[in-house]
């Protein structure tokens, strides 16, 4: 789709998502609201994580905390990828990641998974978005998000986070039909969930496929990619940027380039210039500083940031971010340094 340049009215982040030229590279940070911020820890010492995500005033407050502290170009809704899954009838707690009370591994459990309307499933999410939009400056867009069905599947079947997700992967291969039924239901719920966020005021939507990189290209094409394509196709009419992040997805990019996302998130293992070569010039890239680079000296951090700008800046359509979520031990001063550096230096790297 050709879009005219509208640099004055349109926030930088949105222009960059559509590969339009911008005066500098926009920047935001995955997991920018969270435990590395003392103001977040203060709220979390009073409420548990699930209550925080379900209480609109508090979730809105936590979303805005990093915006008040840093000159970021986008906010992201404070929630979790598992939030809409609870309403499907899956009991869970967080410690700190999601722990599913009864991992889904039988046909009857799959039949029992509900596909509720988003309004009834997560009314607090639309309410949170409305509060955030009232408080956010109009120059800063709000990103809504969901987990990709395959990544949600890994938590549902494994029951909790894991390095290898062996249970989830063995289930996928021993019960491919049942697996596809889970993925179908998750896809239906995520389409509604993302649509509801856009209707409530989210100005871009991101799909986190944190565990896509566990799969070979063939299995990714069979089990993960079709649901992502269906979500993106179903949301195209909303006319807001859609971002897809296949974590550790270097070998998947040749497939991902056709999914219809406006922006593809790149983890730190792949250089942005290599990613661009595969994705082509019509797709924007988001990333990709190693989150642990924030622990280096300021001098080293500065040159690592410049390097990401150099790799990403060789054309319009780069949104600066980390290559995955920020670590909870990160010094917030380093984040301030990063945001300033991107603001000051990015123009020099634009061709
Ligand atoms: O104790 C606490 O305060 C909870 C820690 C925490 C936080 C701050 C969790 C539990 N989730 C979140 C918020 C969150 N999760 C956001 C907020 C918005 C932001 O500022 O970015 C987002 C976008 C997510 C998404 C999320 N949750 C993902 C996808 C992104 C990614 O990092 O790959 C995943 C995989 C999860 C699962 C999850 N939830 C929480 C944790 C610690 C985890 C990872 C668990 C694991 O696999 O071990």
């Amino acid at each position: 789709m050709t879009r005219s340049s509208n640099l004055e009215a349109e926030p930088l982040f949105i222009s960059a998502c559509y590969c339009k030229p911008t005066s500098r590279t926009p920047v935001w940070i995955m997991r920018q609201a969270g435990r590395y911020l003392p103001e977040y820890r203060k709220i979390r010492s009073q409420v548990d994580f699930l209550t925080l995500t379900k209480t609109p005033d508090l979730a809105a407050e936590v979303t805005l905390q990093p915006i008040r502290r840093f000159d970021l170009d986008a906010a992201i809704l404070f929630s979790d990828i598992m939030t809409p899954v609870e309403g499907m009838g899956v009991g869970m707690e967080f410690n700190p990641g999601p722990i599913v009370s009864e991992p889904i591994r039988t046909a009857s459990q799959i039949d029992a998974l509900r596909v509720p309307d988003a309004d009834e499933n997560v009314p607090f999410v639309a309410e949170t978005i409305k509060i955030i939009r009232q408080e956010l400056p109009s120059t800063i867009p709000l990103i809504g998000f969901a987990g990709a069905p395959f990544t949600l599947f890994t938590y549902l079947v494994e029951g909790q986070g894991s390095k290898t997700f062996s249970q989830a992967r063995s289930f996928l291969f021993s019960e491919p039909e049942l697996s596809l039924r889970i993925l179908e239901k998750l896809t239906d719920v995520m389409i509604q969930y993302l649509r509801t966020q856009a209707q409530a005021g989210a100005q871009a939507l991101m799909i986190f496929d944190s565990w896509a990189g566990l799969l070979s290209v063939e299995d990714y094409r069979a089990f993960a990619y079709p649901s992502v394509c269906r979500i993106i196709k179903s949301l195209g009419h909303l006319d807001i940027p859609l971002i897809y992040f296949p974590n550790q997805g270097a070998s998947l990019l040749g497939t991902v380039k056709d999914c219809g996302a406006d922006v593809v998130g790149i983890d730190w293992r792949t250089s942005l210039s290599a990613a661009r070569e595969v994705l082509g010039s019509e797709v924007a890239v988001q990333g990709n500083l190693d989150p642990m680079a924030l622990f280096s000296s300021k001098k080293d951090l500065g040159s690592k940031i410049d390097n990401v700008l150099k790799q990403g800046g060789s054309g319009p359509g780069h949104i600066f971010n980390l290559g995955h979520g920020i670590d909870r031990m990160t010094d917030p001063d380093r984040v301030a340094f990063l945001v300033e550096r991107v603001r000051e230096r990015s123009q020099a790297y634009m061709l």
Side-chain angles (χ1 to χ4, degrees):
M1 195 184 308
T2 317
R3 289 166 198 266
S4 59
S5 205
N6 181 16
L7 292 180
E8 278 164 40
E10 191 170 75
L12 281 184
F13 167 80
I14 303 287
S15 299
C17 287
Y18 289 135
C19 289
K20 294 187 210 169
T22 52
S23 53
R24 60 172 179 80
T25 305
V27 51
W28 70 280
I29 288 172
M30 283 191 271
R31 299 275 185 104
Q32 62 192 19
R35 287 175 294 176
Y36 75 105
L37 289 178
E39 57 269 38
Y40 173 83
R41 290 199 299 271
K42 193 167 169 217
I43 292 186
R44 267 289 276 116
S45 68
Q46 287 148 19
V47 287
D48 63 74
F49 178 71
L50 268 177
T51 308
L52 180 51
T53 59
K54 289 178 188 174
T55 312
D57 284 337
L58 291 179
E61 167 59 25
V62 166
T63 302
L64 294 165
Q65 284 177 343
I67 305 297
R68 293 196 192 105
R69 221 186 226 266
F70 312 113
D71 258 337
L72 295 158
D73 292 295
I76 182 161
L77 170 72
F78 187 81
S79 187
D80 194 76
I81 55 167
M82 296 299 277
T83 303
V85 176
E86 217 191 1
M88 296 175 74
V90 179
M92 70 182 80
E93 53 178 357
F94 281 83
N95 186 22
I99 300 173
V100 174
S101 347
E102 288 173 40
I104 308 292
R105 293 182 196 158
T106 65
S108 60
Q109 281 177 299
I110 297 167
D111 289 340
L113 285 175
R114 291 198 300 269
V115 180
D117 277 349
D119 307 342
E120 133 201 9
N121 183 1
V122 281
F124 48 87
V125 167
E127 189 55 37
T128 304
I129 290 174
K130 284 178 193 155
I131 299 172
I132 298 169
R133 280 262 39 108
Q134 279 163 14
E135 311 233 338
L136 255 188
S138 60
T139 48
I140 304 183
L142 174 66
I143 305 168
F145 73 92
F150 175 71
T151 286
L152 297 170
F153 167 95
T154 61
Y155 285 103
L156 283 186
V157 176
E158 191 82 19
Q160 58 187 3
S162 154
K163 283 206 177 84
T164 55
F165 284 94
S166 310
Q167 293 277 355
R169 276 158 59 226
S170 62
F171 186 82
L172 190 67
F173 299 131
S174 59
E175 298 287 358
E177 299 300 324
L178 291 182
S179 296
L180 287 170
R181 271 166 62 195
I182 302 178
L183 288 160
E184 280 296 293
K185 285 195 174 187
L186 286 167
T187 306
D188 291 338
V189 174
M190 293 314 127
I191 289 170
Q192 287 199 48
Y193 180 55
L194 287 164
R195 193 180 286 145
T196 298
Q197 292 181 55
Q199 281 161 356
Q203 292 131 304
L205 295 170
M206 175 150 166
I207 303 168
F208 285 93
D209 215 345
S210 308
W211 300 109
L214 289 172
L215 296 176
S216 69
V217 180
E218 292 72 26
D219 295 322
Y220 174 77
R221 283 206 193 115
F223 294 106
Y225 185 64
S227 52
V228 173
C229 293
R230 182 149 80 85
I231 293 175
I232 291 174
K233 213 169 171 191
S234 307
L235 300 175
H237 69 282
L238 294 171
D239 215 21
I240 60 175
L242 303 175
I243 309 167
Y244 175 54
F245 176 48
N247 187 33
Q248 294 207 44
S251 66
L252 312 174
L253 293 180
T255 302
V256 163
K257 76 174 187 341
D258 298 319
C259 73
D262 300 290
V263 185
V264 173
I266 307 294
D267 68 80
W268 72 88
R269 301 161 189 88
T270 309
S271 79
L272 293 181
S273 44
R276 277 192 191 278
E277 264 176 42
V278 183
L279 294 170
S281 57
E282 309 265 289
V283 179
V285 289
Q286 178 171 277
N288 74 342
L289 184 74
D290 185 337
M292 295 306 158
L294 288 160
F295 292 84
S296 37
S297 68
K298 278 196 177 162
K299 185 167 168 283
D300 288 350
L301 174 57
S303 52
K304 286 173 196 295
I305 292 167
D306 292 355
N307 193 38
V308 171
L309 286 170
K310 197 171 151 198
Q311 309 257 343
S314 56
H318 175 210
I319 297 143
F320 196 102
N321 206 314
L322 302 181
H324 201 173
I326 190 166
D327 185 84
R328 70 188 180 94
M329 300 307 285
T330 307
D331 179 352
D333 284 348
R334 283 289 194 280
V335 177
F337 175 84
L338 179 152
V339 173
E340 269 315 296
R341 182 89 171 194
V342 174
R343 286 194 160 239
E344 280 168 15
R345 297 286 179 100
S346 61
Q347 210 179 11
Y349 293 97
M350 288 181 169
L351 292 185

